[in-house]
Amino acid sequence: MDRPQNFVFSVGLRHVLEDSLAVVRGQSLERGRRELVLRNLQRFVTQAMEGSASTTAAAFSNTRGTVDTIEAYELVHRMLSSRLRSELVPQLRNTAAVLSELGRNGDVDAERRKAAADLIDLLLRSLKYESAASSYKPAEASHLS
């Protein structure tokens, strides 16, 4: 399972989250970078939603989602499910829609923007926490031998 670990802790995901959060909060970003991060985060969020549907469907049948959708969902679920519980998929759906509208330079109302920003911020904080926790290595207790 090296692939999910590489994906989860990649610097790229962190930068996409940081830049997307800035855009959702109304900060300016160079046009090309703005389009890139919004598109990539929208794809990730959409994959997580599809992964959620695939995991639910797989419980009742032999259908399976793609590796990318399942990994995206597992990542988001692990990071956010304890905080958002039943609101996870609706929040993902709103965030994907907000990112899409912003990508088309659409007008998004403040309440929906805030909800999307809160989800992205929570993802970013969770990613940073997991990254820090995974790099922590306790000192060897050689003196206990």
Side-chain angles (χ1 to χ4, degrees):
M1 235 185 181
D2 290 333
R3 187 169 179 244
Q5 291 300 318
N6 291 338
F7 179 70
V8 170
F9 299 110
S10 74
V11 173
L13 179 58
R14 182 175 172 173
H15 285 281
V16 166
L17 289 169
E18 289 170 342
D19 288 351
S20 294
L21 184 58
V23 171
V24 171
R25 288 182 171 162
Q27 298 171 10
S28 64
L29 200 60
E30 186 271 322
R31 184 174 162 244
R33 179 73 180 158
R34 173 190 167 100
E35 291 171 1
L36 178 72
V37 298
L38 289 175
R39 183 177 56 248
N40 285 331
L41 187 56
Q42 180 189 7
R43 181 178 26 198
F44 175 75
V45 170
T46 300
Q47 286 176 334
M49 288 186 314
E50 290 170 1
S52 171
S54 294
T55 7
T56 303
F60 299 105
S61 68
N62 287 333
T63 61
R64 294 182 49 129
T66 67
V67 172
D68 290 340
T69 62
I70 299 298
E71 286 179 357
Y73 174 68
E74 287 175 350
L75 168 65
V76 169
H77 184 265
R78 184 178 70 246
M79 290 182 171
L80 304 180
S81 66
S82 65
R83 294 182 179 132
L84 295 177
R85 293 182 180 78
S86 64
E87 293 299 310
L88 180 58
V89 174
Q91 289 288 349
L92 289 171
R93 190 174 297 114
N94 174 66
T95 300
V98 167
L99 294 169
S100 176
E101 291 169 34
L102 290 173
R104 293 187 315 266
N105 294 317
D107 190 30
V108 180
D109 69 77
E111 186 177 324
R112 289 183 57 228
R113 260 185 199 257
K114 182 177 179 336
D118 289 348
L119 181 89
I120 296 167
D121 185 55
L122 190 54
L123 264 172
L124 180 59
R125 286 185 289 129
S126 296
L127 179 68
K128 288 178 181 178
Y129 175 80
E130 279 198 3
S131 180
S134 72
S135 63
Y136 172 74
K137 294 183 177 131
E140 288 187 39
S142 60
H143 65 284
L144 297 177
S145 306

